[in-house]
């Protein structure tokens, strides 16, 4: 398993969002692609098997965990889990 998810996440009702990415990969797929077995885990979700339902549940939990009193604060928290179009 080695797929990149593109996520548009934003404040409800604002019509604005930020583009995020998340690599979803199995340990086997990472091993095949890793140089010298060095893997950066930022923006990577390692799964034992592909289950869209479980991945979606995880994403919903992360978004809920990152909710805050303003979009900027929420966005900063989301950047801890996902790669962002504007970097870290």
């Amino acid at each position: 398993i080695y797929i990149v998810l593109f996520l548009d996440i934003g404040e409800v009702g604002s019509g604005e969002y930020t583009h995020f990415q998340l690599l979803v990969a199995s340990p086997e797929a990472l091993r095949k692609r890793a140089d010298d077995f060095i893997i950066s885990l930022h923006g990577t979700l390692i799964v034992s098997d592909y289950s869209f339902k479980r991945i979606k549940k995880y994403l919903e939990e992360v978004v809920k965990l990152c909710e805050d009193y303003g979009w900027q604060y929420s966005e900063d928290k989301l950047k801890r889990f996902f790669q962002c179009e504007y970097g870290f």
Side-chain angles (χ1 to χ4, degrees):
I1 302 159
Y2 194 88
I3 58 173
V4 177
L5 297 179
F6 296 92
L7 311 165
D8 292 333
I9 304 172
E11 192 172 11
V12 174
S14 72
E16 297 179 8
Y17 52 84
T18 301
H19 302 288
F20 293 97
Q21 293 180 16
L22 178 68
L23 171 63
V24 179
S26 66
E28 296 82 14
L30 290 174
R31 253 185 242 108
K32 289 179 184 177
R33 291 168 174 82
D35 295 332
D36 298 324
F37 297 98
I38 297 173
I39 299 170
S40 172
L41 295 178
H42 178 78
T44 303
L45 177 62
I46 301 172
V47 297
S48 59
D49 59 280
Y50 180 80
S51 167
F52 180 76
K53 184 177 178 180
R54 290 178 66 197
I55 293 169
K56 182 180 177 195
K57 183 176 187 240
Y58 168 79
L59 295 174
E60 290 169 346
E61 289 172 358
V62 168
V63 170
K64 185 170 181 67
L65 177 70
C66 294
E67 289 178 358
D68 210 318
Y69 289 104
W71 173 243
Q72 184 62 48
Y73 297 111
S74 297
E75 185 181 51
D76 288 343
K77 290 180 179 181
L78 288 164
K79 288 177 184 178
R80 297 176 191 166
F81 295 91
F82 308 122
Q83 293 178 8
C84 179
E85 66 180 327
Y86 301 114
F88 300 107

